[in-house]
Amino acid sequence: MNSAQVLISADELRRQLDEGRRIVLLDVRWSLGGPPGHEAYLEAHLPGAVFVDLETELAVPVAPGSAEEARGGRHPLPPAEEFQESARRWGIDDGDAIVAYDDSFGQSAARVWWMLRDAGLNDVRLLDGGLAAWRHAGGPLDRGEVEPKPGNVQLRPGSLATIDADDAAAFPGVLLDARAAERYRGEVEPVDPRAGHIPGAISAPTSGNLAADGTFLGRDELRRRFAALGAEPGRRVAVYCGSGVTAAHDVAALAIAGIDAALYPGSFSQWSRDPSRPVATGDEARSGAAAADGIASDS
């Protein structure tokens, strides 16, 4: 996988749409503890874009403090048949090109990018820079709900690598923590029961994947970033975050750099709810904490 298979620029997306290419646009606006993204979507979205509800379509809703949350974390992946129903509701047919975006520079859109790639779809890209880049490029915006004709896509999850808590506990490579550095260090923890990180994990906040304008860094810059954290092509790499959402942003950045990485879907929300799992605080060797300034990377 390379950057051409992960990203599309706002200018290139406009060109392809103007030429009449069929592209399914997915609006995945969401933020941890923030207002519902649907309201912002109704006010302004890319023409033809369908709203994707991260809480109900990209995860199984779980009650805070429930046994289900303890087993799977705050945003467990939905069953394959439910995800396929959602993808068809978004209007996706077999063979369609898909572009996902949000208003947080890919932090939440990366979740649907990862899930669709895992489900066997190859032509899935993130709008580089998200909604801000589209606005900057002078792209048109529409209001209101878009309800497309149901699609016929067949999804086959399992194309991408994942790990579970046992794998994370004894991971034989580089385990990256995509959350903001202060959460990694255990200085703050707004949603999970214990503060800190999985012992042995290296801090790699998603903010470090981005340039000042919110677009992804180039391949060479990302390679240097991850090499400094011990993650290089040919080495085993896995990523987690708070609940498996923004970790997909690191997986995308690693893919741009030419590095395959597994995702830990349960992430720290699952790990920290198991009293048998140890939690570390402070910085570990090769910590990427210095990259945490800028855009928050929480999930």
Side-chain angles (χ1 to χ4, degrees), residues 220-232:
D220 290 344
E221 292 172 289
L222 287 170
R223 277 207 173 198
R224 288 193 292 271
R225 183 209 179 192
F226 289 117
L229 304 178
E232 298 179 288

PDB file of all heavy atoms in Angstrom, residues 220-232:
ATOM      1  N   ASP A 220       8.472  10.281   2.768  1.00  0.00           N
ATOM      2  CA  ASP A 220       9.804  10.281   3.365  1.00  0.00           C
ATOM      3  C   ASP A 220       9.768  10.838   4.785  1.00  0.00           C
ATOM      4  O   ASP A 220      10.462  10.326   5.680  1.00  0.00           O
ATOM      5  CB  ASP A 220      10.774  11.092   2.504  1.00  0.00           C
ATOM      6  CG  ASP A 220      11.084  10.399   1.184  1.00  0.00           C
ATOM      7  OD1 ASP A 220      10.801   9.186   1.051  1.00  0.00           O
ATOM      8  OD2 ASP A 220      11.597  11.079   0.265  1.00  0.00           O
ATOM      9  N   GLU A 221       8.983  11.900   4.995  1.00  0.00           N
ATOM     10  CA  GLU A 221       8.887  12.473   6.337  1.00  0.00           C
ATOM     11  C   GLU A 221       8.256  11.481   7.312  1.00  0.00           C
ATOM     12  O   GLU A 221       8.701  11.356   8.462  1.00  0.00           O
ATOM     13  CB  GLU A 221       8.068  13.759   6.300  1.00  0.00           C
ATOM     14  CG  GLU A 221       8.722  14.909   5.564  1.00  0.00           C
ATOM     15  CD  GLU A 221       7.771  16.077   5.393  1.00  0.00           C
ATOM     16  OE1 GLU A 221       6.821  15.965   4.596  1.00  0.00           O
ATOM     17  OE2 GLU A 221       7.981  17.102   6.076  1.00  0.00           O
ATOM     18  N   LEU A 222       7.239  10.778   6.859  1.00  0.00           N
ATOM     19  CA  LEU A 222       6.611   9.781   7.730  1.00  0.00           C
ATOM     20  C   LEU A 222       7.559   8.615   8.006  1.00  0.00           C
ATOM     21  O   LEU A 222       7.598   8.082   9.120  1.00  0.00           O
ATOM     22  CB  LEU A 222       5.307   9.286   7.114  1.00  0.00           C
ATOM     23  CG  LEU A 222       4.152  10.286   7.165  1.00  0.00           C
ATOM     24  CD1 LEU A 222       2.984   9.808   6.311  1.00  0.00           C
ATOM     25  CD2 LEU A 222       3.693  10.526   8.607  1.00  0.00           C
ATOM     26  N   ARG A 223       8.325   8.233   7.009  1.00  0.00           N
ATOM     27  CA  ARG A 223       9.305   7.163   7.234  1.00  0.00           C
ATOM     28  C   ARG A 223      10.303   7.564   8.321  1.00  0.00           C
ATOM     29  O   ARG A 223      10.647   6.760   9.186  1.00  0.00           O
ATOM     30  CB  ARG A 223      10.046   6.841   5.935  1.00  0.00           C
ATOM     31  CG  ARG A 223       9.301   5.888   5.039  1.00  0.00           C
ATOM     32  CD  ARG A 223      10.267   5.115   4.158  1.00  0.00           C
ATOM     33  NE  ARG A 223       9.575   4.083   3.427  1.00  0.00           N
ATOM     34  CZ  ARG A 223      10.174   3.046   2.851  1.00  0.00           C
ATOM     35  NH1 ARG A 223      11.482   2.926   2.950  1.00  0.00           N
ATOM     36  NH2 ARG A 223       9.489   2.136   2.205  1.00  0.00           N
ATOM     37  N   ARG A 224      10.766   8.807   8.260  1.00  0.00           N
ATOM     38  CA  ARG A 224      11.716   9.269   9.275  1.00  0.00           C
ATOM     39  C   ARG A 224      11.052   9.315  10.636  1.00  0.00           C
ATOM     40  O   ARG A 224      11.661   8.954  11.647  1.00  0.00           O
ATOM     41  CB  ARG A 224      12.269  10.649   8.895  1.00  0.00           C
ATOM     42  CG  ARG A 224      13.244  10.618   7.730  1.00  0.00           C
ATOM     43  CD  ARG A 224      13.987  11.926   7.589  1.00  0.00           C
ATOM     44  NE  ARG A 224      13.106  13.020   7.174  1.00  0.00           N
ATOM     45  CZ  ARG A 224      12.858  13.321   5.905  1.00  0.00           C
ATOM     46  NH1 ARG A 224      13.394  12.613   4.923  1.00  0.00           N
ATOM     47  NH2 ARG A 224      12.070  14.343   5.604  1.00  0.00           N
ATOM     48  N   ARG A 225       9.797   9.766  10.662  1.00  0.00           N
ATOM     49  CA  ARG A 225       9.088   9.842  11.940  1.00  0.00           C
ATOM     50  C   ARG A 225       8.984   8.461  12.587  1.00  0.00           C
ATOM     51  O   ARG A 225       9.305   8.276  13.760  1.00  0.00           O
ATOM     52  CB  ARG A 225       7.685  10.417  11.733  1.00  0.00           C
ATOM     53  CG  ARG A 225       6.976  10.577  13.069  1.00  0.00           C
ATOM     54  CD  ARG A 225       5.506  10.484  13.062  1.00  0.00           C
ATOM     55  NE  ARG A 225       5.060  10.636  14.463  1.00  0.00           N
ATOM     56  CZ  ARG A 225       3.862  10.396  14.893  1.00  0.00           C
ATOM     57  NH1 ARG A 225       2.931   9.989  14.071  1.00  0.00           N
ATOM     58  NH2 ARG A 225       3.562  10.542  16.160  1.00  0.00           N
ATOM     59  N   PHE A 226       8.542   7.489  11.822  1.00  0.00           N
ATOM     60  CA  PHE A 226       8.333   6.165  12.398  1.00  0.00           C
ATOM     61  C   PHE A 226       9.642   5.415  12.639  1.00  0.00           C
ATOM     62  O   PHE A 226       9.744   4.629  13.586  1.00  0.00           O
ATOM     63  CB  PHE A 226       7.371   5.362  11.528  1.00  0.00           C
ATOM     64  CG  PHE A 226       5.954   5.875  11.597  1.00  0.00           C
ATOM     65  CD1 PHE A 226       5.326   6.377  10.464  1.00  0.00           C
ATOM     66  CD2 PHE A 226       5.267   5.889  12.800  1.00  0.00           C
ATOM     67  CE1 PHE A 226       4.031   6.863  10.530  1.00  0.00           C
ATOM     68  CE2 PHE A 226       3.968   6.383  12.873  1.00  0.00           C
ATOM     69  CZ  PHE A 226       3.344   6.861  11.742  1.00  0.00           C
ATOM     70  N   ALA A 227      10.643   5.668  11.813  1.00  0.00           N
ATOM     71  CA  ALA A 227      11.943   5.043  12.050  1.00  0.00           C
ATOM     72  C   ALA A 227      12.509   5.479  13.396  1.00  0.00           C
ATOM     73  O   ALA A 227      13.131   4.678  14.120  1.00  0.00           O
ATOM     74  CB  ALA A 227      12.917   5.394  10.926  1.00  0.00           C
ATOM     75  N   ALA A 228      12.289   6.741  13.765  1.00  0.00           N
ATOM     76  CA  ALA A 228      12.759   7.235  15.062  1.00  0.00           C
ATOM     77  C   ALA A 228      12.063   6.537  16.220  1.00  0.00           C
ATOM     78  O   ALA A 228      12.584   6.513  17.345  1.00  0.00           O
ATOM     79  CB  ALA A 228      12.536   8.745  15.149  1.00  0.00           C
ATOM     80  N   LEU A 229      10.896   5.952  15.954  1.00  0.00           N
ATOM     81  CA  LEU A 229      10.154   5.218  16.977  1.00  0.00           C
ATOM     82  C   LEU A 229      10.404   3.719  16.887  1.00  0.00           C
ATOM     83  O   LEU A 229       9.801   2.944  17.644  1.00  0.00           O
ATOM     84  CB  LEU A 229       8.651   5.500  16.833  1.00  0.00           C
ATOM     85  CG  LEU A 229       8.235   6.969  16.880  1.00  0.00           C
ATOM     86  CD1 LEU A 229       6.734   7.106  16.677  1.00  0.00           C
ATOM     87  CD2 LEU A 229       8.659   7.608  18.195  1.00  0.00           C
ATOM     88  N   GLY A 230      11.261   3.311  15.973  1.00  0.00           N
ATOM     89  CA  GLY A 230      11.582   1.892  15.828  1.00  0.00           C
ATOM     90  C   GLY A 230      10.741   1.147  14.824  1.00  0.00           C
ATOM     91  O   GLY A 230      10.917  -0.055  14.642  1.00  0.00           O
ATOM     92  N   ALA A 231       9.812   1.846  14.169  1.00  0.00           N
ATOM     93  CA  ALA A 231       8.914   1.199  13.206  1.00  0.00           C
ATOM     94  C   ALA A 231       9.455   1.396  11.798  1.00  0.00           C
ATOM     95  O   ALA A 231       9.504   2.524  11.297  1.00  0.00           O
ATOM     96  CB  ALA A 231       7.509   1.783  13.324  1.00  0.00           C
ATOM     97  N   GLU A 232       9.846   0.304  11.165  1.00  0.00           N
ATOM     98  CA  GLU A 232      10.428   0.355   9.833  1.00  0.00           C
ATOM     99  C   GLU A 232       9.876  -0.775   8.985  1.00  0.00           C
ATOM    100  O   GLU A 232       9.353  -1.761   9.510  1.00  0.00           O
ATOM    101  CB  GLU A 232      11.954   0.254   9.926  1.00  0.00           C
ATOM    102  CG  GLU A 232      12.602   1.389  10.698  1.00  0.00           C
ATOM    103  CD  GLU A 232      14.110   1.236  10.788  1.00  0.00           C
ATOM    104  OE1 GLU A 232      14.563   0.354  11.532  1.00  0.00           O
ATOM    105  OE2 GLU A 232      14.817   2.000  10.112  1.00  0.00           O
TER     106      GLU A 232
END
